[in-house]
Amino acid sequence: MKTQPSVLDTQLKHVSVRSFLDREVSDDMLQQIIDGARRAPTSSNMQAYSIIVVRDENTRLRLSELTGHQKHVAQAPVFLAFCADLNRLGVATALNNQVLQSSLETFVISTVDAALVGMNAMTAAESLGLGGVMIGAVRNHPKEVGDLLALPTGVYVVFGMAIGWPDTEQFPTQKPRLPENLVVHSERYDASGFEAGIQEYDAQLSEYYGRKDKGQSGASWSGPLARGLSKTLRPELLRTLEEMGFKIR
Ligand SMILES: Cc1cc2nc3c(=O)[nH]c(=O)nc-3n(C[C@H](O)[C@H](O)[C@H](O)COP(=O)(O)O)c2cc1C
């Protein structure tokens, strides 16, 4: 009998997979992933999320287009859309003759719930030998993605996940993480090692990407990050999410 890896082994081996074999994910495996995902902790037991399971090829092709033509979205046999969901909570509230008040807090609650369920799904999939990659680019066109998946008001896709059997010939090596002392603090927040640690990490990522640009301007982690973060990311997202039923301000 095949033994399952421990949860910790699965976590320590995590890598995002973007190349998949032409092989189906069985209903049984998908069910196990969903079962694991649904056990995630959830704020006040609200379960303010929904998962849309997409197998249909045309829908996956359209999702690939809407997420910047990411080929792995079209290639993977399964796409899971992890949604923040206030719609069902609205129904539960109305059943009790009340009106749900959408707020920044309900936005955070539902978004965090979707993220926890999504991460559980990823670990479950990886523990079964599958691979996957989260797809935040669904937020490039949240309204179009919502329409494609028939989402009602009060539901948006936080991120998706392309899941399938990894193409072992193109299996990626693990991407290094920031040095531990930059992200884990003992008792109190300590930023004293940030500059040196970031330079160390830039050099490490340059090696990982096989690049020679270890100087400041071409820095492999902080460079692209600085170019991205010096602009407002997805500036229209606030307005779109408000149109989709999330009252954030
Ligand atoms: C919320 C979220 C959204 C992401 N969106 C995308 C995406 O749209 N396309 C993609 O190829 N990878 C995406 N990723 C994967 C990250 O790029 C990846 O996790 C990160 O570079 C670290 O690499 P690793 O997962 O292989 O360790 C996303 C990851 C997260 C957590």
Side-chain angles (χ1 to χ4, degrees), residues 14-18 67 70 72-73 122 132-139 158-160 172-177 208-209 234:
H14 162 76
V15 60
S16 290
V17 169
R18 297 181 179 83
T67 54
Q70 297 195 46
H72 35 275
V73 173
M122 171 148 270
V133 57
M134 292 182 179
I135 305 294
V138 286
R139 297 192 306 277
V158 182
F159 59 90
T173 47
Q174 270 194 320
K175 199 179 282 184
R177 290 294 192 252
Y208 170 80
Y209 288 124
R234 296 188 177 115

Side-chain angles (χ1 to χ4, degrees), residues 108-128:
V108 172
I109 285 171
S110 54
T111 302
V112 171
D113 269 10
L116 296 177
V117 163
M119 188 60 231
N120 257 20
M122 171 148 270
T123 305
E126 289 175 344
S127 77
L128 295 170

